[in-house]
Amino acid sequence: MLRMLTAGESHGKSLLAILDGFPAGMKVDTDAINVELKRRQGGYGRGGRMKLEVDEVDIQSGIWQGVTLGSPITLAVINRDYKLERLKDVERPRPGHGDLSGAMKYLGSVRAILERASARETAVRVAAGALAQQLLSLFGISVFGYVLELEKIKTTPSVGTYSELKAIRDASPMYTLDPVADKEIVARVDQATQDGDTLGGIIEVRVDGLPFGLGSHAQWDRKLDGLLAQAVMSIQAIKGVEIGLGFEAARRPGSMVHDPIHFDASRKFEPSLGYTRPTNNAGGLEAGMTNGQPLVVRAAKKPISTLRKPLDSISLKTKEPENAAYERSDVCALAAASVIVETVVALTVAQSFLEKFGNDSILEIQSRYTGYLELARQR
Ligand SMILES: Cc1cc2nc3c(=O)[nH]c(=O)nc-3n(C[C@H](O)[C@H](O)[C@H](O)COP(=O)(O)O)c2cc1C
């Protein structure tokens, strides 16, 4: 079983992720992890802090001479603006944050809550997910995330090969696949910045090259749709998760939802084993298991909670009305969130992949993977 725990405060010394159960024998590309960390810091609409921090992963255990050992991997991202000891408490809880709930739950300070609730924690989730992406890529599986909608602006994603789409996304200020919509998106973020407001939107992640049978139909806590929903929903500011058609499936008759099953022997050696589906409304998952089609996950991100034009709050000392506290903040972190959702999906898929094919060594997994495909082709 591949497990992850994270630790660290937003303005503490560092963020840490421990990955337990990662197989031995994988050559690690540290630069590729840093590329994802840098992408998480980018995107149009970010606040000042992202310009201060240049995140880089510091691998503290589990890797020797660039290769995974099979022992727990510790990934650290050091905070260059460490200042937690000097920071004061916050007296005016911010709507949309855990400030009030956490202070009541722990009978303590708001600072204790906001430091840990902050999305800064996702720096190490991204590092861990980037490592999972490297594992999946050994088996021809790619995980690709992009922004689909900003507020009410819908994009029309370009069509192309993986490397063409990656080039379009990486050139986009909001990590979309639509250079035309980007102009409107940038103008909308500029307007929100002027208004002291914030914006959210919708992210889509696509996983290609998946074999049949990741996840399970048999038990609620092993179903991959359920695991994805939990993992993606746990990302700060994500308020909805859809797989395939998602909520739209409820608005259509069955004949316009379910994907017919065909067979094309010439595609027998693809991960789909030749079973083709003219549509992919299920988003690659049926009964909690992958069905050989691309996995499609969407996530809805709410607008940033800290507003320069603050909402009503109260003073926790006097209980009198006050404006909510303001700390330097993003106007729109949707592009960054697309990197987080992408890597969180990668980690979740990697967990189910290792559950099916074992997690001791890459060599053994490769042999079990090819053996399984062979058997499934004969089924
Ligand atoms: C990439 C990213 C960056 C964020 N940056 C900020 C920020 O600068 N200011 C802020 O108030 N909230 C920010 N948030 C949102 C909060 O972390 C989140 O809304 C808060 O922790 C409450 O959790 P919840 O929205 O999941 O209920 C960010 C979220 C993400 C995913």
Side-chain angles (χ1 to χ4, degrees), residues 114-151:
L114 74 87
E115 284 291 328
R116 181 64 190 153
S118 159
R120 181 85 188 117
E121 179 259 353
T122 60
V124 282
R125 275 206 257 184
V126 165
L131 205 59
Q133 274 178 312
Q134 292 182 27
L135 173 81
L136 293 172
S137 74
L138 294 178
F139 299 89
I141 300 167
S142 61
V143 188
F144 185 67
Y146 45 90
V147 167
L148 198 60
E149 297 178 27
L150 173 115
E151 198 191 29

Short mmCIF file of all heavy atoms in Angstrom, two decimals, residues 114-151:
data_model
loop_
_atom_site.label_atom_id
_atom_site.label_comp_id
_atom_site.label_asym_id
_atom_site.label_seq_id
_atom_site.Cartn_x
_atom_site.Cartn_y
_atom_site.Cartn_z
N LEU A 114 -4.81 28.59 10.68
CA LEU A 114 -4.57 29.05 9.30
C LEU A 114 -3.21 28.61 8.78
O LEU A 114 -3.04 28.38 7.58
CB LEU A 114 -4.77 30.57 9.17
CG LEU A 114 -3.73 31.55 9.72
CD1 LEU A 114 -2.63 31.83 8.72
CD2 LEU A 114 -4.42 32.86 10.07
N GLU A 115 -2.25 28.46 9.68
CA GLU A 115 -0.92 28.04 9.24
C GLU A 115 -0.93 26.63 8.64
O GLU A 115 -0.18 26.34 7.74
CB GLU A 115 0.06 28.09 10.41
CG GLU A 115 0.50 29.50 10.76
CD GLU A 115 1.39 30.12 9.69
OE1 GLU A 115 2.13 29.39 9.02
OE2 GLU A 115 1.33 31.36 9.53
N ARG A 116 -1.81 25.80 9.17
CA ARG A 116 -1.84 24.42 8.67
C ARG A 116 -2.91 24.23 7.59
O ARG A 116 -2.75 23.42 6.68
CB ARG A 116 -2.08 23.46 9.85
CG ARG A 116 -2.10 22.00 9.49
CD ARG A 116 -0.77 21.47 8.95
NE ARG A 116 -0.94 20.13 8.41
CZ ARG A 116 -0.19 19.58 7.46
NH1 ARG A 116 0.83 20.24 6.93
NH2 ARG A 116 -0.43 18.38 7.02
N ALA A 117 -3.99 25.02 7.67
CA ALA A 117 -5.06 24.89 6.68
C ALA A 117 -4.63 25.45 5.33
O ALA A 117 -5.19 25.10 4.29
CB ALA A 117 -6.32 25.60 7.17
N SER A 118 -3.62 26.31 5.34
CA SER A 118 -3.17 26.99 4.13
C SER A 118 -2.81 26.02 3.00
O SER A 118 -2.28 24.92 3.25
CB SER A 118 -1.94 27.83 4.48
OG SER A 118 -1.20 28.11 3.33
N ALA A 119 -3.03 26.48 1.77
CA ALA A 119 -2.70 25.65 0.60
C ALA A 119 -1.20 25.55 0.36
O ALA A 119 -0.76 24.86 -0.55
CB ALA A 119 -3.39 26.21 -0.64
N ARG A 120 -0.41 26.21 1.20
CA ARG A 120 1.05 26.02 1.11
C ARG A 120 1.41 24.54 1.29
O ARG A 120 2.39 24.05 0.76
CB ARG A 120 1.70 26.90 2.20
CG ARG A 120 3.19 26.84 2.24
CD ARG A 120 3.83 27.82 1.26
NE ARG A 120 5.26 27.61 1.18
CZ ARG A 120 5.92 27.23 0.09
NH1 ARG A 120 5.30 27.10 -1.06
NH2 ARG A 120 7.21 27.03 0.13
N GLU A 121 0.57 23.84 2.06
CA GLU A 121 0.78 22.39 2.29
C GLU A 121 0.85 21.61 0.98
O GLU A 121 1.49 20.57 0.89
CB GLU A 121 -0.39 21.88 3.17
CG GLU A 121 -0.35 20.40 3.49
CD GLU A 121 -1.28 19.54 2.65
OE1 GLU A 121 -2.08 20.11 1.87
OE2 GLU A 121 -1.21 18.32 2.73
N THR A 122 0.18 22.15 -0.04
CA THR A 122 0.11 21.39 -1.30
C THR A 122 1.45 21.36 -2.03
O THR A 122 1.60 20.59 -2.97
CB THR A 122 -0.97 21.95 -2.24
OG1 THR A 122 -0.66 23.32 -2.55
CG2 THR A 122 -2.35 21.85 -1.63
N ALA A 123 2.42 22.18 -1.60
CA ALA A 123 3.74 22.12 -2.25
C ALA A 123 4.28 20.68 -2.18
O ALA A 123 4.76 20.13 -3.17
CB ALA A 123 4.71 23.10 -1.60
N VAL A 124 4.16 20.07 -0.99
CA VAL A 124 4.71 18.71 -0.89
C VAL A 124 3.75 17.64 -1.44
O VAL A 124 4.20 16.56 -1.83
CB VAL A 124 5.17 18.35 0.55
CG1 VAL A 124 6.51 19.00 0.83
CG2 VAL A 124 4.14 18.69 1.59
N ARG A 125 2.46 17.96 -1.49
CA ARG A 125 1.56 17.01 -2.17
C ARG A 125 1.91 16.97 -3.65
O ARG A 125 1.87 15.92 -4.29
CB ARG A 125 0.09 17.42 -2.00
CG ARG A 125 -0.48 16.90 -0.70
CD ARG A 125 -1.98 16.74 -0.79
NE ARG A 125 -2.69 17.80 -0.12
CZ ARG A 125 -4.01 17.83 -0.02
NH1 ARG A 125 -4.75 16.89 -0.59
NH2 ARG A 125 -4.61 18.82 0.62
N VAL A 126 2.26 18.15 -4.19
CA VAL A 126 2.65 18.20 -5.61
C VAL A 126 3.95 17.41 -5.82
O VAL A 126 4.08 16.65 -6.78
CB VAL A 126 2.79 19.67 -6.09
CG1 VAL A 126 3.52 19.76 -7.42
CG2 VAL A 126 1.40 20.30 -6.20
N ALA A 127 4.91 17.58 -4.91
CA ALA A 127 6.18 16.85 -5.05
C ALA A 127 5.93 15.34 -5.03
O ALA A 127 6.47 14.59 -5.86
CB ALA A 127 7.15 17.26 -3.94
N ALA A 128 5.08 14.90 -4.10
CA ALA A 128 4.78 13.46 -4.00
C ALA A 128 4.05 12.97 -5.25
O ALA A 128 4.35 11.90 -5.79
CB ALA A 128 3.93 13.19 -2.75
N GLY A 129 3.12 13.80 -5.73
CA GLY A 129 2.36 13.41 -6.92
C GLY A 129 3.23 13.40 -8.16
O GLY A 129 3.03 12.58 -9.07
N ALA A 130 4.22 14.29 -8.19
CA ALA A 130 5.14 14.32 -9.34
C ALA A 130 5.97 13.03 -9.37
O ALA A 130 6.29 12.51 -10.45
CB ALA A 130 6.04 15.55 -9.27
N LEU A 131 6.30 12.52 -8.20
CA LEU A 131 7.03 11.25 -8.12
C LEU A 131 6.12 10.11 -8.61
O LEU A 131 6.55 9.22 -9.35
CB LEU A 131 7.45 11.02 -6.67
CG LEU A 131 8.65 10.14 -6.41
CD1 LEU A 131 9.90 10.69 -7.08
CD2 LEU A 131 8.89 10.01 -4.91
N ALA A 132 4.86 10.18 -8.22
CA ALA A 132 3.89 9.18 -8.67
C ALA A 132 3.74 9.22 -10.19
O ALA A 132 3.62 8.19 -10.86
CB ALA A 132 2.53 9.40 -8.00
N GLN A 133 3.79 10.45 -10.76
CA GLN A 133 3.70 10.58 -12.22
C GLN A 133 4.87 9.86 -12.89
O GLN A 133 4.71 9.25 -13.95
CB GLN A 133 3.70 12.05 -12.62
CG GLN A 133 2.33 12.67 -12.58
CD GLN A 133 2.32 14.14 -12.93
OE1 GLN A 133 3.13 14.90 -12.41
NE2 GLN A 133 1.42 14.55 -13.79
N GLN A 134 6.04 9.96 -12.28
CA GLN A 134 7.21 9.29 -12.86
C GLN A 134 7.03 7.78 -12.85
O GLN A 134 7.38 7.08 -13.80
CB GLN A 134 8.48 9.70 -12.10
CG GLN A 134 8.83 11.17 -12.31
CD GLN A 134 10.10 11.59 -11.61
OE1 GLN A 134 11.00 10.80 -11.37
NE2 GLN A 134 10.19 12.87 -11.28
N LEU A 135 6.45 7.28 -11.76
CA LEU A 135 6.18 5.85 -11.67
C LEU A 135 5.20 5.42 -12.77
O LEU A 135 5.43 4.45 -13.50
CB LEU A 135 5.59 5.53 -10.29
CG LEU A 135 5.11 4.10 -10.10
CD1 LEU A 135 6.27 3.19 -9.78
CD2 LEU A 135 4.07 4.02 -9.01
N LEU A 136 4.10 6.17 -12.90
CA LEU A 136 3.07 5.81 -13.89
C LEU A 136 3.63 5.87 -15.31
O LEU A 136 3.28 5.05 -16.15
CB LEU A 136 1.86 6.74 -13.74
CG LEU A 136 1.07 6.58 -12.43
CD1 LEU A 136 0.01 7.67 -12.31
CD2 LEU A 136 0.41 5.20 -12.34
N SER A 137 4.51 6.84 -15.54
CA SER A 137 5.03 7.00 -16.91
C SER A 137 5.86 5.78 -17.34
O SER A 137 5.96 5.48 -18.52
CB SER A 137 5.82 8.30 -17.06
OG SER A 137 7.05 8.16 -16.43
N LEU A 138 6.44 5.06 -16.37
CA LEU A 138 7.17 3.83 -16.71
C LEU A 138 6.23 2.80 -17.36
O LEU A 138 6.68 1.88 -18.03
CB LEU A 138 7.77 3.19 -15.45
CG LEU A 138 8.87 3.96 -14.74
CD1 LEU A 138 9.32 3.21 -13.50
CD2 LEU A 138 10.05 4.18 -15.68
N PHE A 139 4.93 2.95 -17.11
CA PHE A 139 3.94 2.00 -17.65
C PHE A 139 3.09 2.66 -18.74
O PHE A 139 2.00 2.20 -19.05
CB PHE A 139 3.09 1.45 -16.49
CG PHE A 139 3.94 0.72 -15.48
CD1 PHE A 139 4.51 1.41 -14.42
CD2 PHE A 139 4.23 -0.61 -15.65
CE1 PHE A 139 5.34 0.75 -13.52
CE2 PHE A 139 5.05 -1.28 -14.76
CZ PHE A 139 5.61 -0.59 -13.69
N GLY A 140 3.61 3.76 -19.29
CA GLY A 140 2.93 4.42 -20.40
C GLY A 140 1.70 5.20 -19.99
O GLY A 140 0.84 5.51 -20.82
N ILE A 141 1.59 5.52 -18.70
CA ILE A 141 0.41 6.25 -18.22
C ILE A 141 0.77 7.73 -18.02
O ILE A 141 1.74 8.04 -17.32
CB ILE A 141 -0.10 5.65 -16.88
CG1 ILE A 141 -0.47 4.18 -17.10
CG2 ILE A 141 -1.27 6.46 -16.32
CD1 ILE A 141 -0.69 3.40 -15.81
N SER A 142 0.00 8.63 -18.66
CA SER A 142 0.28 10.07 -18.50
C SER A 142 -0.89 10.74 -17.80
O SER A 142 -2.05 10.37 -18.00
CB SER A 142 0.51 10.71 -19.87
OG SER A 142 -0.66 10.57 -20.65
N VAL A 143 -0.58 11.74 -16.99
CA VAL A 143 -1.59 12.48 -16.23
C VAL A 143 -1.45 13.95 -16.60
O VAL A 143 -0.35 14.52 -16.46
CB VAL A 143 -1.39 12.29 -14.70
CG1 VAL A 143 -2.55 12.89 -13.93
CG2 VAL A 143 -1.21 10.82 -14.35
N PHE A 144 -2.54 14.55 -17.07
CA PHE A 144 -2.43 15.88 -17.66
C PHE A 144 -3.57 16.76 -17.15
O PHE A 144 -4.75 16.45 -17.36
CB PHE A 144 -2.50 15.73 -19.19
CG PHE A 144 -2.28 16.99 -19.95
CD1 PHE A 144 -1.06 17.63 -19.94
CD2 PHE A 144 -3.33 17.55 -20.69
CE1 PHE A 144 -0.86 18.80 -20.66
CE2 PHE A 144 -3.14 18.72 -21.41
CZ PHE A 144 -1.89 19.35 -21.40
N GLY A 145 -3.24 17.87 -16.49
CA GLY A 145 -4.26 18.76 -15.94
C GLY A 145 -4.23 20.13 -16.56
O GLY A 145 -3.16 20.62 -16.94
N TYR A 146 -5.40 20.75 -16.68
CA TYR A 146 -5.48 22.09 -17.26
C TYR A 146 -6.73 22.79 -16.75
O TYR A 146 -7.62 22.15 -16.17
CB TYR A 146 -5.50 22.03 -18.81
CG TYR A 146 -6.42 20.98 -19.36
CD1 TYR A 146 -7.74 21.26 -19.65
CD2 TYR A 146 -5.96 19.68 -19.55
CE1 TYR A 146 -8.59 20.28 -20.13
CE2 TYR A 146 -6.80 18.69 -20.03
CZ TYR A 146 -8.12 19.00 -20.32
OH TYR A 146 -8.96 18.01 -20.78
N VAL A 147 -6.80 24.09 -16.97
CA VAL A 147 -7.96 24.86 -16.54
C VAL A 147 -9.00 24.84 -17.66
O VAL A 147 -8.67 25.08 -18.82
CB VAL A 147 -7.54 26.30 -16.18
CG1 VAL A 147 -8.76 27.21 -16.05
CG2 VAL A 147 -6.73 26.30 -14.89
N LEU A 148 -10.25 24.53 -17.27
CA LEU A 148 -11.32 24.42 -18.26
C LEU A 148 -12.19 25.67 -18.28
O LEU A 148 -12.62 26.12 -19.33
CB LEU A 148 -12.18 23.20 -17.89
CG LEU A 148 -13.08 22.59 -18.93
CD1 LEU A 148 -12.28 22.09 -20.13
CD2 LEU A 148 -13.85 21.42 -18.32
N GLU A 149 -12.49 26.21 -17.09
CA GLU A 149 -13.36 27.40 -17.00
C GLU A 149 -12.84 28.31 -15.91
O GLU A 149 -12.36 27.83 -14.88
CB GLU A 149 -14.80 27.00 -16.62
CG GLU A 149 -15.48 26.13 -17.64
CD GLU A 149 -16.89 25.69 -17.21
OE1 GLU A 149 -17.54 26.40 -16.42
OE2 GLU A 149 -17.31 24.61 -17.66
N LEU A 150 -12.93 29.64 -16.14
CA LEU A 150 -12.67 30.60 -15.08
C LEU A 150 -13.97 31.36 -14.84
O LEU A 150 -14.51 31.94 -15.78
CB LEU A 150 -11.56 31.58 -15.46
CG LEU A 150 -11.40 32.69 -14.44
CD1 LEU A 150 -10.06 32.63 -13.74
CD2 LEU A 150 -11.62 34.06 -15.03
N GLU A 151 -14.45 31.30 -13.61
CA GLU A 151 -15.75 31.90 -13.29
C GLU A 151 -16.76 31.45 -14.36
O GLU A 151 -17.01 30.26 -14.51
CB GLU A 151 -15.62 33.41 -13.18
CG GLU A 151 -16.77 34.07 -12.44
CD GLU A 151 -16.72 35.58 -12.58
OE1 GLU A 151 -16.23 36.10 -13.60
OE2 GLU A 151 -17.20 36.28 -11.66
#
